[in-house]
Amino acid sequence: MSAPRPPRDSARVAALQRYGISSLPATTGQSLQELAWVAARSTGAPLAVVSLVDVDVVRHVGRFGDIAADLPRDESFCAHTVAAAEPGVFMVRDARSDLRFAGLPLVAGGAHMRSYAGAPIVTSDGHAIGAVAVLDVRVREFDADEERILGVLARQAMDQLELRYSATRLAREIYTRRSADFASGGSEGGAAAAATAAAAAGSPSTESPDKYEPGYASEVLQRQALAIETTSDGIAIYDADEHLVYANDASARIHGFERGSDLAGFTWRALYSEDEQRRFDQTILPALRRDRRWRGEAIGRRRDGTMFPHEMSLALLDGGGVVAVLRDVSERHALDKMKNEFVSTVSHELRTPLTSIRGSLGLLEGGVAGTLPDKARELIRIARSNADRLIRLINDILDLDKMESGRLELAISSLEPSEVVTATLEGIQGMADQRGVRLVARIGKQARFLGDRDRVIQVLTNLVSNAIKFSPEHADVTVRVVTGEGGFLRFSVEDQGMGIPREMVGRLFKKFAQLDASDARGRGGTGLGLVISRSIIEQHGGTIGVNSEPGLRTQFWFELPLAPAERTSLPPVPTTRAHTVLLVEDDDDLADILTILLSKEGYHTVHASSIDDAWRIVIQSRPSAMLLDLLLPDGSGLELINRLRAHDRTRTLPVVILSGREPEGAVLNSGLIDWLTKPFDEQRLYRALRRAVRTPGSPRALVVDDDTATRTILVTRLRALGIDCIEAMDGLEALRVVREQVPDLIVLDVGMPGMDGFEFVRTLRQEQARAVPLVVYTGRDLTAAERKVLTLGPSFHLTKARVSEDEFVRIVREVLEGLLPRAGGAGGGFVGDGGPAAGRLA
């Protein structure tokens, strides 16, 4: 239902127009954006807007969440706010059951909004011109504190619009008078700086209400002009031809000059490098012309030629001129760099010894030093438990730092809900068993969702572990997954514990918050888990919350977006090309498919369609392995194998048969790795080729870490799997080892003296070992760019003290599958995959 038009709506619209609504883009002013952010955070709502209601459209000049910049007035809640007969906050508890709103697209469409609260933005002469409002997908009431917050924010929004109007009036009055003084080198250009603030808000209105006549406002405008002239931010105005027509002294100092008049006659291009000029032309200026404003960082040039980073806000003036507001952020960048380096160093120096401690205790618990007395075993269990607790605290603090600084990177992919829940419950089953709690999963057949697998498991693990801690013995903790509303999947974790008092719920997602400090200490916890969980879910574009019935149950839940139906996974990242594989296949289409598959795994391929072509290529280029079809135009592939085995140069060339025929008896050739039947299993093909390009014998792993204790733990784990281990303390020593004999696996730390992990990998990518499987095992949190650099063949990136020993062993088994010795048997040679050919080819 359309909102009623208030009495004197034309006068209300006229009052609105004096603030230049036509030139206010949806991203106007950081201050209005921040008001929307504060409104959302203060009420826990997923959407918040600062809106201005024009004749037929509602403009969202500040917004938080996924909502359009403009809405038709008849489709907006805010139109009802300005039309409300009663002053104060306009609230809707359940829009779906209210005939006025049930048909609105925000309610009936994909957004599924249910509740609304909006405080009107009211001018000094009593016109409601817009609203500061929040919208929620839940049916809810807004309490008195939340109403007061919205009212305060609405008054602040009005103050921002008044300030913008005053500055605009000042700019129009003074700009013409003062620009000539600046051009002639005079010092009387101070008030012209006010044009910057005015232009940054957009083009001024041509209307001139009596309240804002110069006679009334001249004293205020002079004070504002003085404030702008003496600000530490650089302020400059350029004409349509890119010539500087005004700069305050702060702008001059930022660029290495003394006074603003020193910049007279400059063009803006003289103050930026050629690379930055291209960026302006290709990216920034088109955005500025489209939106009339732009905000971001740029690299400027100082008088002495040095470059410096600065924040920049640009606004387009009528006639094509541009206003720029600059702030030098060199010091902040330097401090950020120092902080990041400090955090990286601390994380490495803390995680590395803790990993060694936990690993050593785990080995002792596992009996590596023999059977221990019961008392000693209990002391070791206590020590390991507390080491785990300290590790969790360190991980939580480092995670929180990354989230607050915006450096948490998500590897989003399409995920299977049952797999994520199963992995979570398997990882925490031991804790549940220890406390006598039963874990129950209620999943069913659910659609895939989008998320970072490790981070989603981190959130789910946190919620399940909390539920276990606060559950009575023999109780159930139930994990449910159901399809939510609006294209989301809902995960919930429910316990049968004491519940949470209603007045304490608001503290749950605050730093270091523990509802009962004495009880929480006994159960363990850092008070950061829920804060981190909320940040992770919100960065996924989801929501998280809690429902509790004191004395009965508590249910924590979160929702994540469903994956598009046509999308099953993100495309793999190609690795660097390595060993050459000769494809002997007369079907060109299949050869093209194999080329694509193998290139993604890091192999270089050469194609031959006949026995004669294949033989010529083998003699000329000496490939690392051959992938061979049997039915070829000029004979059988078995004939080619016999020819290979008859010559010394080709006798040991590894061969993988890929044929439409089933294996026929025993093929007694030591170089035959496997026989795959078309259509083939891609993973089995990859495993066969990994075996093909290695040398015979037990699998060998190179462990590179400057921490002796960590190396000892890793080597002990690997040797228990039947892997021969070589140790190196830094990249240079490791490089010598690899050049002597390429290993089957490299386990690598990053931060090492001399040649570090990055340089080591960059070097290997140019050499024969560029396709060796790599497990990066480091104490620092790697960025996406760093993980991309740290890639050879199949590559995994693990963080010390964040990944369990079992997970490390699982990954090693996956990488070396087919190379590890059978249980009770010796390693080396051909190990079958259990398929139809196993046992026939040896």
Side-chain angles (χ1 to χ4, degrees):
M1 181 181 296
S2 301
R5 302 276 168 149
R8 301 178 62 237
D9 192 54
S10 58
R12 186 197 65 80
V13 172
L16 169 66
Q17 292 298 338
R18 72 170 173 238
Y19 299 105
I21 184 173
S22 61
S23 63
L24 276 172
T27 55
T28 188
Q30 185 69 13
S31 57
L32 296 183
Q33 291 290 91
E34 289 171 350
L35 290 183
W37 180 85
V38 171
R41 289 299 190 189
S42 301
T43 60
L47 294 182
V49 293
V50 178
S51 66
L52 298 177
V53 181
D54 205 348
V55 179
D56 296 312
V57 69
V58 175
R59 305 288 306 279
H60 295 145
V61 294
R63 49 184 171 148
F64 176 88
D66 185 14
I67 189 168
D70 296 341
L71 283 179
R73 183 169 172 173
D74 292 341
E75 296 179 5
S76 170
F77 284 90
C78 293
H80 289 265
T81 301
V82 302
E86 298 295 329
V89 177
F90 179 78
M91 290 188 290
V92 180
R93 179 180 179 275
D94 184 1
R96 188 167 46 184
S97 60
D98 191 320
L99 293 179
R100 295 174 298 173
F101 308 106
L104 295 185
L106 284 173
V107 178
H112 294 284
M113 291 297 120
R114 293 292 176 265
S115 55
Y116 168 90
I121 300 173
V122 182
T123 66
S124 58
D125 43 1
H127 292 293
I129 60 173
V132 174
V134 292
L135 299 96
D136 207 325
V137 294
R138 299 170 292 165
V139 175
R140 60 175 288 186
E141 302 279 2
F142 293 90
D143 60 32
D145 285 341
E146 290 168 334
E147 288 186 55
R148 283 195 293 270
I149 289 170
L150 291 175
V152 170
L153 295 177
R155 290 191 291 274
Q156 290 182 357
M158 190 67 250
D159 290 343
Q160 292 293 333
L161 294 172
E162 294 279 15
L163 177 61
R164 175 183 181 275
Y165 180 80
S166 297
T168 300
R169 291 282 300 166
L170 175 66
R172 293 178 67 85
E173 182 179 338
I174 295 176
Y175 176 73
T176 303
R177 292 190 288 119
R178 302 294 177 155
S179 58
D181 294 333
F182 171 77
S184 62
S187 60
E188 198 177 310
T196 302
S203 302
S205 169
T206 57
E207 299 187 23
S208 180
D210 292 342
K211 177 181 175 182
Y212 297 99
E213 284 302 317
Y216 176 87
S218 59
E219 183 178 349
V220 175
L221 298 181
Q222 288 172 8
R223 288 200 302 267
Q224 291 175 345
L226 179 62
I228 293 172
E229 178 63 25
T230 57
T231 182
S232 59
D233 288 344
I235 299 171
I237 304 175
Y238 298 89
D239 62 20
D241 296 323
E242 301 183 352
H243 288 91
L244 190 65
V245 296
Y246 174 76
N248 68 349
D249 290 347
S251 180
R253 288 192 294 269
I254 287 174
H255 286 284
F257 296 84
E258 293 183 8
R259 297 179 59 82
S261 56
D262 294 338
L263 292 174
F266 274 72
T267 65
W268 71 263
R269 292 182 183 272
L271 302 174
Y272 292 89
S273 68
E274 291 184 2
D275 287 342
E276 200 70 340
Q277 290 176 35
R278 281 193 292 271
R279 177 171 168 250
F280 269 79
D281 289 336
Q282 296 170 6
T283 305
I284 298 174
L285 291 180
L288 180 61
R289 296 186 186 104
R290 181 184 66 245
D291 301 329
R292 298 191 64 84
R293 59 190 302 107
W294 178 87
R295 182 173 182 174
E297 283 200 4
I299 305 297
R301 190 202 308 274
R302 291 195 178 93
R303 186 177 190 177
D304 60 5
T306 59
M307 311 306 290
F308 70 99
H310 59 271
E311 290 180 345
M312 173 183 284
S313 294
L314 300 177
L316 191 65
L317 290 168
D318 291 340
V322 174
V323 174
V325 180
L326 313 179
R327 176 173 295 178
D328 190 339
V329 293
S330 301
E331 185 174 338
R332 189 181 74 192
H333 278 216
L335 290 174
D336 285 345
K337 183 179 179 181
M338 290 173 59
K339 176 188 173 185
N340 293 340
E341 290 175 350
F342 173 77
V343 169
S344 178
T345 301
V346 168
S347 66
H348 180 271
E349 295 303 320
L350 286 175
R351 283 170 169 165
T352 296
L354 281 171
T355 302
S356 299
I357 293 169
R358 185 176 68 176
S360 299
L361 293 171
L363 290 171
L364 289 173
E365 275 190 302
V368 72
T371 304
L372 297 174
D374 291 343
K375 187 174 182 64
R377 189 181 301 109
E378 176 63 15
L379 291 174
I380 288 173
R381 186 195 65 77
I382 293 171
R384 181 171 183 180
S385 175
N386 281 276
D388 286 338
R389 183 177 175 184
L390 183 56
I391 286 169
R392 286 194 299 271
L393 175 61
I394 291 169
N395 287 337
D396 285 350
I397 291 174
L398 293 172
D399 275 348
L400 196 61
D401 172 77
K402 286 192 294 181
M403 291 172 188
E404 291 182 339
S405 61
R407 292 183 292 110
L408 182 67
E409 299 183 27
L410 300 177
I412 301 295
S413 62
S414 174
L415 301 175
E416 177 65 46
S418 60
E419 190 278 329
V420 171
V421 173
T422 300
T424 301
L425 297 187
E426 287 177 351
I428 207 166
Q429 185 65 54
M431 178 182 179
D433 293 342
Q434 185 179 3
R435 294 181 178 268
V437 173
R438 191 168 74 112
L439 300 180
V440 180
R442 298 280 187 264
I443 305 171
K445 179 88 174 156
Q446 299 294 340
R448 299 175 72 90
F449 69 99
L450 295 178
D452 181 318
R453 181 182 182 275
D454 291 343
R455 293 298 180 179
V456 174
I457 289 177
Q458 179 182 349
V459 172
L460 203 52
T461 299
N462 178 263
L463 299 183
V464 175
S465 64
N466 284 345
I468 293 172
K469 291 176 190 176
F470 293 98
S471 290
E473 193 173 2
H474 305 305
D476 289 349
V477 169
T478 304
V479 179
R480 287 187 173 86
V481 183
V482 298
T483 302
E485 296 182 346
F488 283 80
L489 195 68
R490 172 173 284 220
F491 294 76
S492 63
V493 178
E494 183 176 314
D495 64 52
Q496 299 170 323
M498 66 189 75
I500 302 170
R502 196 175 306 277
E503 66 274 11
M504 306 296 285
V505 170
R507 295 179 53 192
L508 283 173
F509 295 97
K510 295 182 179 179
K511 290 183 189 177
F512 301 103
Q514 293 174 327
L515 301 187
D516 183 339
S518 60
D519 185 48
R521 291 296 179 210
R523 300 174 189 268
T526 65
L528 292 174
L530 290 177
V531 180
I532 292 170
S533 296
R534 184 181 69 179
S535 295
I536 290 172
I537 295 302
E538 288 180 350
Q539 289 194 44
H540 278 78
T543 54
I544 187 169
V546 58
N547 304 317
S548 183
E549 298 178 33
L552 293 177
R553 69 184 186 99
T554 299
Q555 182 193 70
F556 281 87
W557 57 268
F558 61 87
E559 293 184 341
L560 293 174
L562 291 169
E566 70 279 5
R567 179 178 180 178
T568 57
S569 63
L570 294 181
V573 178
T575 55
T576 305
R577 288 182 174 180
H579 295 278
T580 297
V581 176
L582 173 58
L583 306 178
V584 187
E585 172 62 62
D586 62 332
D587 187 318
D588 291 340
D589 291 337
L590 179 56
D592 290 342
I593 293 172
L594 288 168
T595 297
I596 294 171
L597 291 174
L598 297 188
S599 67
K600 290 180 178 179
E601 286 295 301
Y603 297 99
H604 176 62
T605 58
V606 179
H607 178 215
S609 56
S610 67
I611 293 175
D612 288 343
D613 288 345
W615 177 255
R616 185 168 54 254
I617 292 171
V618 168
I619 296 301
Q620 293 174 351
S621 62
R622 304 288 297 274
S624 303
M626 178 186 291
L627 191 57
L628 175 65
D629 189 13
L630 294 183
L631 299 178
L632 298 168
D634 53 349
S636 168
L638 296 178
E639 298 175 12
L640 178 59
I641 294 178
N642 292 333
R643 188 187 299 186
L644 293 172
R645 300 305 174 237
H647 291 76
D648 290 339
R649 290 184 61 189
T650 60
R651 180 173 293 129
T652 59
L653 176 66
V655 177
V656 177
I657 292 178
L658 179 58
S659 174
R661 293 165 47 187
E662 294 291 333
E664 301 173 352
V667 181
L668 301 178
N669 289 293
S670 60
L672 186 61
I673 302 300
D674 203 351
W675 185 315
L676 280 69
T677 304
K678 300 175 183 176
F680 55 90
D681 180 338
E682 293 177 16
Q683 296 304 317
R684 182 172 171 182
L685 171 63
Y686 298 151
R687 291 195 296 269
L689 287 177
R690 282 208 296 271
R691 293 196 301 272
V693 298
R694 68 180 297 275
T695 55
S698 297
R700 289 171 296 280
L702 170 61
V703 181
V704 190
D705 197 311
D706 62 326
D707 184 78
T708 304
T710 299
R711 288 203 317 275
T712 301
I713 299 296
L714 293 175
V715 167
T716 303
R717 293 283 184 191
L718 295 173
R719 285 177 176 162
L721 299 175
I723 302 171
D724 290 339
C725 294
I726 309 164
E727 301 179 47
M729 293 188 62
D730 62 21
L732 281 174
E733 184 179 351
L735 197 58
R736 286 195 295 270
V737 171
V738 173
R739 286 170 174 171
E740 290 175 3
Q741 187 174 37
V742 177
D744 300 300
L745 170 68
I746 298 174
V747 181
L748 177 69
D749 190 16
V750 173
M752 297 177 293
M755 179 184 285
D756 65 11
F758 292 101
E759 187 176 355
F760 172 69
V761 171
R762 277 194 293 266
T763 303
L764 284 191
R765 290 174 77 163
Q766 309 302 317
E767 301 190 4
Q768 182 184 359
R770 56 186 175 269
V772 173
L774 174 68
V775 175
V776 178
Y777 190 60
T778 179
R780 62 185 285 178
D781 290 302
L782 300 171
T783 66
E786 289 173 332
R787 289 194 294 270
K788 187 174 182 180
V789 171
L790 293 168
T791 299
L792 292 174
S795 298
F796 300 81
H797 304 91
L798 311 180
T799 304
K800 293 176 181 177
R802 197 183 287 283
V803 66
S804 67
E805 289 90 345
D806 290 343
E807 178 70 4
F808 174 80
V809 169
R810 182 192 67 77
I811 289 173
V812 170
R813 286 186 181 277
E814 179 180 331
V815 171
L816 297 181
E817 186 174 2
L819 303 182
L820 295 174
R822 292 188 181 94
F830 169 71
V831 180
D833 290 307
R840 302 186 188 179
L841 309 174

